[in-house]
Amino acid sequence: MQQNTRPATLSYPAPDDEAVDTARRISSDTPDADPTDAARATCFLLAAAVRDFLVEDIYDPAAPFDAVELELAHAHTTGLVEPTGHYFTADGTRLPLPGERDRDRLINLVLWDLGDHSRAAWSPLCTLQGTTTEAAIYRFDLTQAAALRVTDAPRDPAAASATTGLDTVTRYLHGHTYTPSTKTAAPAAQEAFTADVVAVLHAADGWHHAPRVLERALTLLVTSTPTRPAPDTHPRDLEALAGAVADILRTGETITGTTAYTLADTAETAFQEEVDEARFAHIRHTRQA
């Protein structure tokens, strides 16, 4: 079943056939595929699939279609992400995919690849729209997904830490009190608190500078009853990130006896060292002959 009104423009360039084949090879069909790499490949394949569902001739790279975002549901219970069967046009209109089995095809495509374990790959492409009792609802940017470089994307050494940081912020937004990952005494506990702050800073990286997040966190720390952002706040919102860091620092100060300012300074230094290492690795990869 086709839409009644055919679009006249191209929403994003058709993904290259060779890139699609490469993405398929590194998706979950490869047993030893890294979860983040597999998720990036799946995001790219989602853009290719939605485009194919909406064009009259999939072999025509100039065939017009009108999708710019895909609606995704991130289930609270399983932590997995599934397409809802709807997409958005450039003017914000929400439409169902035209084929009766298109949603099933997309679900099979993303099965097990998109979820809490691979948040670092898909979350940057999403905008939170709201939550239900069953799931968080996102708009997934198909234009960005279609532009992913899955053929030569270097592995992000901080991806796992960033995913942990996003989970920490999400728990904070839903009202959970921060619980340290270890109950050992200082200085081991101090290192654990520092690592948790660094994880949140990795989640913020690319959206906010680490000093700005820490500065805001320390301000919230000395505020008597700071307002906690609403549960549907995007986890990369500055107030969400800073609030989660303040929660960690407050607990760390109580347990270790180390001041929040010292914990913040230590975390900032450790974060910068990890960022420099990741940047050097990325540059070496992209510039090698």
Side-chain angles (χ1 to χ4, degrees), residues 7 18 30 66 98 105 131 172 227 258:
E18 182 178 349
T30 303
D66 57 357
R105 295 188 180 99
T131 58
Y172 164 76
T227 303
T258 306

Side-chain angles (χ1 to χ4, degrees), residues 73-98:
H74 182 200
H76 299 315
T77 54
T78 65
L80 296 176
V81 175
E82 288 187 356
T84 67
H86 292 80
Y87 70 94
F88 294 89
T89 62
D91 64 2
T93 302
R94 181 176 181 266
L95 296 172
L97 292 169

Side-chain angles (χ1 to χ4, degrees), residues 49-132:
V50 170
R51 178 258 177 191
D52 287 351
F53 292 161
L54 298 176
V55 298
E56 293 182 336
D57 182 3
I58 63 173
Y59 299 106
D60 178 7
F65 63 102
D66 57 357
V68 294
E69 293 173 314
L70 181 68
E71 190 174 75
L72 299 178
H74 182 200
H76 299 315
T77 54
T78 65
L80 296 176
V81 175
E82 288 187 356
T84 67
H86 292 80
Y87 70 94
F88 294 89
T89 62
D91 64 2
T93 302
R94 181 176 181 266
L95 296 172
L97 292 169
E100 293 182 0
R101 298 186 58 193
D102 287 349
R103 177 175 180 268
D104 293 338
R105 295 188 180 99
L106 292 184
I107 289 176
N108 289 333
L109 178 64
V110 307
L111 194 61
W112 307 116
D113 278 345
L114 304 187
D116 289 342
H117 64 292
S118 60
R119 186 191 294 269
W122 58 266
S123 180
L125 305 176
C126 290
T127 302
L128 182 65
Q129 291 300 290
T131 58
T132 68

Side-chain angles (χ1 to χ4, degrees), residues 10 12 54 71 87 117 124 136 160 176 189 225 229 231 246 269:
L10 195 68
Y12 50 86
L54 298 176
E71 190 174 75
Y87 70 94
H117 64 292
H176 299 290
T225 68
T269 299

